[in-house]
Amino acid sequence: MDTTSQTLARTPLYNLHVELGARMVPFAGYEMPVQYPTGVLKEHNHTRTQAGLFDVSHMGQVRLSGAGAAVALESLVPVDVVDLPLHFQRYAMFTNEQGGILDDLMVSNGGDHLFLVVNAACKQQDVAHLKKHLAGRCEVEELADRALLALQGPAAGAVMARLAPETAKMIFMNTAKVTLVGTECFISRSGYTGEDGFEISVPGDKAEELARLLLAQPEVAPIGLGARDSLRLEAGLCLYGHDMDVNTTPVEASLGWALSKARRADGARPGGYPGADIIMRQLAEGVARKRVGLLVKDRMPVREGAELVDTDGRAIGKVTSGGFGPTVAVPVAMGYVATELAKPGTALQAIVRGKPVPVEVVKTPFTPQRYYRG
């Protein structure tokens, strides 16, 4: 007898997923839809051409309140929170003493509070980490009664403007409070697909009503975890626990762009977070390995865990994410290679079932990002 289903949590949209014919799978401790009857390929293409609705309610939502919240959070992340503009959000990472990444997260400035979205598999440890290190400096509150929906794709802006006209003036990484299905929702113009879109935090008891309202719009279809993965891979976006982890620093993960100038060695508030010395040394001196994009020169998809070798057959890295890219119509991957081989155009091979498959190091994203910047 399968006992795992007894211990898995369900999001407020579980019954709706089942009603829509979703294939449910265990993911980060939840029963989640991996795909709907149309299948991953059609779901992926629908998101790229129209608008897809994702249930991301398994993610953690956390509110930090108190006058010292921004300064306090800066003691745990290598990004600028103090000067984050009102009603904007920023990508951040929790680091450990070795400079490794404990989790990646989004942080937004709500005025009298900060709002954080953290990964599902890490949320318990993240909340514990915040409470332990920020105790007495700000209030840490997990918003466990809220759901999170993502509306993604080129039609997302038109759909949201129809339901909440004030969202039309929002740009990429803007946040706002809007009323949907008669309740206050917190939304950001962001997402995990490389497309324009929104993430909507809604009270759990209103989540199904909101999801049905969104799905009633002609452009919107439900999208599962399968297409979520292929969409974010094409967009060159990291998945925590795969493309980065506690043994990977932001510099190795090619996330230097996310390390705010203010927190660097020559910035206004340098260091002061776990592993800062290591990360700043790597920024100055470089690293031995780097995350790169890989274009597969074969029809054979190259998956996570495949070994990467140079033209002499010497092991030089590993694939951390890979699969078929429906938009680019070829298999794509990301992985870590020795820095001297990280230059775009470098020819390498991935070992798949004992056979070498030719791959080429390329710049990510594989398909252009289309965030709405006004």
Side-chain angles (χ1 to χ4, degrees):
M1 184 184 138
D2 179 24
T3 54
T4 51
S5 60
Q6 291 169 4
T7 55
L8 290 172
R10 291 175 173 179
T11 76
L13 297 183
Y14 175 85
N15 291 336
L16 178 59
H17 297 313
V18 172
E19 180 188 314
L20 294 171
R23 184 154 74 80
M24 306 300 285
V25 299
F27 183 81
Y30 283 78
E31 286 186 80
M32 296 293 289
V34 68
Q35 65 177 79
Y36 297 88
T38 53
V40 173
L41 187 69
K42 284 201 167 103
E43 290 173 35
H44 177 110
N45 291 333
H46 188 92
T47 307
R48 286 267 184 260
T49 55
Q50 297 191 65
L53 182 68
F54 302 76
D55 179 9
V56 285
S57 305
H58 58 316
M59 307 277 278
Q61 301 181 57
V62 183
R63 180 161 49 208
L64 305 183
S65 38
V71 173
L73 184 59
E74 279 199 1
S75 69
L76 298 179
V77 299
V79 307
D80 179 357
V81 184
V82 168
D83 293 321
L84 176 60
L86 182 63
H87 307 313
F88 270 92
Q89 74 172 7
R90 185 164 282 159
Y91 177 75
M93 289 155 274
F94 290 128
T95 51
N96 63 21
E97 294 302 336
Q98 293 74 48
I101 303 170
L102 294 171
D103 195 13
D104 63 339
L105 63 146
M106 301 303 290
V107 52
S108 59
N109 179 1
D112 61 350
H113 69 280
L114 296 173
F115 175 70
L116 277 50
V117 177
V118 301
N119 282 306
C122 305
K123 67 181 171 185
Q124 282 162 317
Q125 74 181 38
D126 287 349
V127 171
H129 181 65
L130 288 161
K131 285 186 167 166
K132 178 184 166 186
H133 293 283
L134 306 188
R137 302 178 68 186
C138 67
E139 193 186 337
V140 178
E141 182 190 1
E142 187 180 358
L143 307 174
D145 59 344
R146 295 186 77 81
L148 194 66
L149 306 185
L151 181 70
Q152 298 283 298
V159 170
M160 282 305 292
R162 194 180 301 147
L163 304 176
E166 67 271 39
T167 59
K169 60 181 191 294
M170 293 175 72
I171 58 168
F172 182 55
M173 291 298 209
N174 247 165
T175 63
K177 281 180 179 166
V178 301
T179 300
L180 293 162
V181 294
T183 194
E184 185 177 86
C185 296
F186 178 74
I187 70 169
S188 64
R189 194 156 197 167
S190 64
Y192 193 48
T193 60
E195 298 295 332
D196 182 22
F198 298 85
E199 294 202 335
I200 311 162
S201 171
V202 56
D205 59 1
K206 288 284 202 171
E208 188 179 320
E209 191 183 344
L210 178 58
R212 288 185 188 276
L213 173 66
L214 289 164
L215 290 169
Q217 309 306 308
E219 305 93 334
V220 183
I223 313 293
L225 291 173
R228 183 169 163 85
D229 196 52
S230 56
L231 288 157
R232 70 92 197 165
L233 175 58
E234 284 186 341
L237 301 170
C238 289
L239 176 61
Y240 188 79
H242 300 259
D243 307 299
M244 53 181 169
D245 54 31
V246 291
N247 302 310
T248 314
T249 71
V251 186
E252 291 172 326
S254 298
L255 295 171
W257 58 267
L259 304 174
S260 302
K261 202 166 163 12
R263 309 297 306 283
R264 294 188 179 215
D266 55 351
R269 296 183 305 286
Y273 57 88
D277 295 350
I278 292 167
I279 289 171
M280 289 200 284
R281 186 166 72 243
Q282 290 182 348
L283 281 169
E285 298 170 10
V287 285
R289 62 182 195 127
K290 268 199 140 128
R291 177 177 65 94
V292 296
L294 300 163
L295 202 55
V296 182
K297 303 291 202 174
D298 194 305
R299 299 306 291 171
M300 166 86 70
V302 171
R303 309 237 177 244
E304 179 180 354
E307 193 169 37
L308 293 165
V309 300
D310 64 12
T311 43
D312 299 327
R314 204 167 48 101
I316 52 87
K318 269 217 162 36
V319 171
T320 52
S321 279
F324 183 71
T327 313
V328 290
V330 290
V332 291
M334 293 195 295
Y336 284 79
V337 300
T339 301
E340 63 270 20
L341 297 170
K343 214 166 126 250
T346 305
L348 301 171
Q349 293 172 329
I351 307 301
V352 180
R353 296 188 202 136
K355 292 194 174 70
V357 174
V359 299
E360 181 189 331
V361 176
V362 294
K363 270 194 157 75
T364 59
F366 299 99
T367 189
Q369 291 171 340
R370 298 194 289 182
Y371 305 125
Y372 179 71
R373 299 182 191 271

